[in-house]
């Protein structure tokens, strides 16, 4: 990807990488094996997982950043901090009822990343354990991986497209097609049920667990049923691009491209800054930068897969998003925790509006490293 950058773009990316190294080195020294989420007044004040749910779905993103930086810099402090988080997750395996579809987000960025980079056999076992838990959520009658727990037996969410790479990894690791079958079956159902004809997506669909028939499409974290929650769009862009990477199935690439085109169209008329929902009222203006940086990673993945004439569309869109977010919403002060502000957890959750969120920093970091060829496949 680096070879395709203009001199101006390369200068920006390389300069941003230098700022990343300074910022994340300082954060690693402060945070270590803590588990950050949303800072308060510029500081991560709740890093003790015993004070917050250890099973929270975002808890893998900090160690994911650490492994990415370890791969890029070979600085041992990143590895040691990431291993500390990974070890904390071990107690979750005995709390089966507290785990759900987001085990991919959690163990891809910890154990599987560790195994890919170091060959740690204990990490391999952890990853395979998590993959088995995810595969165990598959509903063979409805052909989907159910979301969450309790009474949501027929719920499917677009987010899970980012969890199923754990199954592709396990299938390759064990040479066992069971995991790949579950992943592809879920992706096929998500493609049919969740993605609309214009490239927009539902966040949640409720299916009849007996036969997979769609019953309802509630609002989820977006504005309303039928609206277009931007982070859900980004999960689809990147998730289907990753399913294409792991399977080679053209229909997944075509779906990723369709959702990416919808995403690009909406951002191109808004200064490349992502609104929280592309189909919400004009006021209040509510951004979600986490959607933008995740979509940028997805577009870079698509750029790898398409022909030479198509590639600039996705590469330039990713660069436009990253530059716009950097200019408007990034804080590079190494004494202040977090990089990317103006993330939004959900449209109707005011306390989660316009805050820095750890996964925004993760995807921004991954995108910059990928543009320089310094990333590794964490998905």
């Amino acid at each position: 990807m680096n070879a395709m950058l203009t001199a101006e773009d390369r200068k920006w990316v390389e300069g941003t990488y230098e700022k990343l190294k300074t910022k994340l080195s300082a954060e690693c020294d402060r945070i270590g094996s803590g588990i950050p989420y949303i800072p308060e007044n510029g500081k991560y004040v709740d890093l003790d997982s015993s004070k917050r749910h250890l099973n929270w779905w975002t808890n893998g993103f900090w160690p994911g950043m650490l492994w990415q930086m370890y791969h890029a810099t070979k600085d041992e402090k990143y590895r040691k901090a990431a291993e500390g988080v990974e070890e904390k997750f071990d107690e979750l395996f005995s709390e089966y009822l507290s785990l759900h579809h987001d085990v991919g987000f959690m163990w891809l960025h910890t154990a599987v990343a560790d195994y890919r980079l170091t060959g740690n056999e204990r990490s391999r076992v952890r990853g395979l354990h998590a993959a088995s838990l995810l595969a165990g959520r598959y509903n063979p009658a409805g052909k989907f991986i159910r979301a969450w727990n309790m009474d949501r037996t027929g719920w499917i969410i677009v987010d899970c497209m980012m969890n199923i790479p754990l199954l592709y990894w396990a299938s390759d690791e064990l040479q066992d097609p069971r995991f790949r079958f579950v992943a592809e079956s879920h992706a096929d159902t998500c493609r049919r049920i969740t993605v609309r004809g214009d490239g927009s997506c539902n966040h949640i669909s409720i299916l009849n667990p007996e036969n997979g028939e769609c019953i309802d499409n509630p609002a989820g974290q977006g504005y309303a049923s039928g609206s277009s929650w931007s982070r859900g769009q980004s999960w689809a862009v990147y998730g289907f691009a990753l399913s294409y990477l792991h399977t080679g199935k053209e229909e997944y690439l075509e779906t990723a491209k369709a959702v990416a085109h919808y995403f690009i169209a909406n951002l191109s008329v808004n200064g490349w800054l992502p609104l929280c929902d592309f189909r919400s009222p004009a006021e209040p203006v509510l951004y979600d930068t986490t959607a933008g940086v995740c979509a940028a990673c997805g577009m870079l993945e698509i750029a790898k897969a398409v022909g030479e004439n198509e590639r600039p569309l996705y590469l330039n869109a990713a660069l436009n998003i990253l530059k716009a977010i950097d200019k408007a919403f990034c804080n590079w002060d190494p004494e202040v925790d977090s990089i990317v502000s103006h993330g939004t957890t959900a449209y109707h959750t005011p306390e989660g509006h316009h805050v820095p969120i750890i996964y925004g920093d993760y995807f921004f970091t991954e995108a910059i490293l990928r543009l320089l060829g310094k990333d590794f496949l964490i998905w």
Side-chain angles (χ1 to χ4, degrees):
M1 204 66 69
N2 188 27
M4 293 189 61
L5 297 176
T6 65
E8 181 181 351
D9 287 338
R10 186 176 295 107
K11 181 179 179 181
W12 176 80
V13 174
E14 290 173 350
T16 304
Y17 175 58
E18 292 302 315
K19 290 189 288 186
L20 264 179
K21 286 195 295 183
T22 300
K23 179 94 175 192
L24 293 182
S25 178
E27 284 197 323
C28 185
D29 291 341
R30 286 195 297 272
I31 298 167
S33 295
I35 303 180
Y37 177 39
I38 295 174
E40 297 178 14
N41 300 317
K43 295 294 180 184
Y44 290 120
V45 296
D46 182 8
L47 297 172
D48 184 351
S49 60
S50 66
K51 296 179 181 178
R52 183 166 48 82
H53 294 305
L54 184 59
N55 66 346
W56 187 240
W57 74 276
T58 68
N59 288 354
F61 286 105
W62 170 244
M65 292 169 67
L66 295 173
W67 282 119
Q68 291 285 10
M69 291 304 292
Y70 171 71
H71 176 264
T73 68
K74 302 301 184 286
D75 190 329
E76 284 292 311
K77 72 179 181 182
Y78 293 117
R79 178 184 62 81
K80 292 176 181 177
E83 288 173 342
V85 180
E86 179 182 342
E87 291 168 3
K88 292 178 181 180
F89 282 7
D90 282 352
E91 68 181 81
L92 289 171
F93 288 130
S94 63
E95 299 177 12
Y96 170 74
L97 293 178
S98 74
L99 297 174
H100 45 80
H101 61 275
D102 282 326
V103 294
F105 280 126
M106 298 173 70
W107 274 278
L108 278 168
H109 289 247
T110 53
V112 178
D114 188 348
Y115 175 65
R116 280 171 161 154
L117 293 180
T118 73
N120 184 342
E121 185 60 28
R122 178 67 184 127
S123 297
R124 177 179 183 267
V125 171
R126 289 168 172 142
L128 292 173
H129 192 166
S132 295
L133 291 173
L134 183 58
R137 302 182 66 83
Y138 179 68
N139 179 321
K143 299 183 178 180
F144 66 93
I145 296 170
R146 65 158 292 182
W148 296 304
N149 294 327
M150 297 184 294
D151 59 347
R152 296 164 176 170
T153 55
W155 287 41
I156 179 175
I157 60 173
V158 70
D159 317 39
C160 206
M161 288 301 302
M162 296 296 293
N163 284 289
I164 60 176
L166 178 64
L167 301 179
Y168 293 127
W169 169 79
S171 189
D172 291 341
E173 192 64 29
L174 295 175
Q175 294 298 296
D176 187 336
R178 292 177 303 144
F179 296 96
R180 182 175 298 276
F181 172 84
V182 171
E184 291 186 23
S185 181
H186 177 83
D188 292 342
T189 299
C190 189
R191 182 171 175 267
R192 176 173 56 86
I193 296 291
T194 303
V195 181
R196 307 180 187 122
D198 64 354
S200 66
C201 299
N202 298 309
H203 175 203
I204 300 171
S205 294
I206 301 177
L207 311 183
N208 182 330
E210 301 290 338
N211 58 23
E213 177 187 355
C214 187
I215 301 171
D216 193 15
N217 293 304
Q221 288 164 255
Y223 171 69
S225 177
S227 67
S228 179
W229 179 51
S230 61
R231 184 149 30 94
Q233 307 294 144
S234 73
W235 295 145
V237 172
Y238 202 3
F240 279 103
L242 289 165
S243 276
Y244 171 75
L245 172 69
H246 288 290
T247 69
K249 288 191 171 183
E250 289 291 333
E251 57 264 36
Y252 297 152
L253 179 59
E254 292 305 313
T255 299
K257 289 165 63 176
V259 183
H261 295 168
Y262 177 87
F263 202 99
I264 291 169
N266 279 277
L267 265 66
S268 66
V269 296
N270 197 47
W272 296 97
L273 296 174
L275 297 173
C276 176
D277 194 305
F278 295 137
R279 294 178 181 169
S280 59
E283 298 291 338
V285 176
L286 185 59
Y287 294 108
D288 183 9
T289 53
T290 71
V293 289
C294 176
C297 289
M299 290 174 195
L300 294 177
E301 188 62 45
I302 295 172
K304 288 166 45 183
V306 299
E308 181 179 356
N309 293 333
E310 280 188 275
R311 195 166 295 133
L313 168 64
Y314 303 103
L315 175 58
N316 290 334
L319 283 166
N320 287 339
I321 294 167
L322 294 168
K323 286 180 176 181
I325 288 174
D326 178 32
K327 183 177 180 180
F329 298 129
C330 282
N331 186 326
W332 294 108
D333 182 349
E335 300 304 314
V336 176
D337 284 332
S338 80
I339 300 168
V340 184
S341 70
H342 282 67
T344 292
T345 58
Y347 190 92
H348 294 291
T349 306
E351 63 272 21
H353 288 179
H354 290 176
V355 294
I357 312 175
I358 191 64
Y359 45 85
D361 286 6
Y362 172 80
F363 286 110
F364 189 91
T365 299
E366 182 188 292
I368 295 301
L369 295 180
R370 179 169 296 187
L371 285 165
L372 291 173
K374 293 180 178 292
D375 69 316
F376 77 102
L377 179 66
I378 210 166
W379 302 101

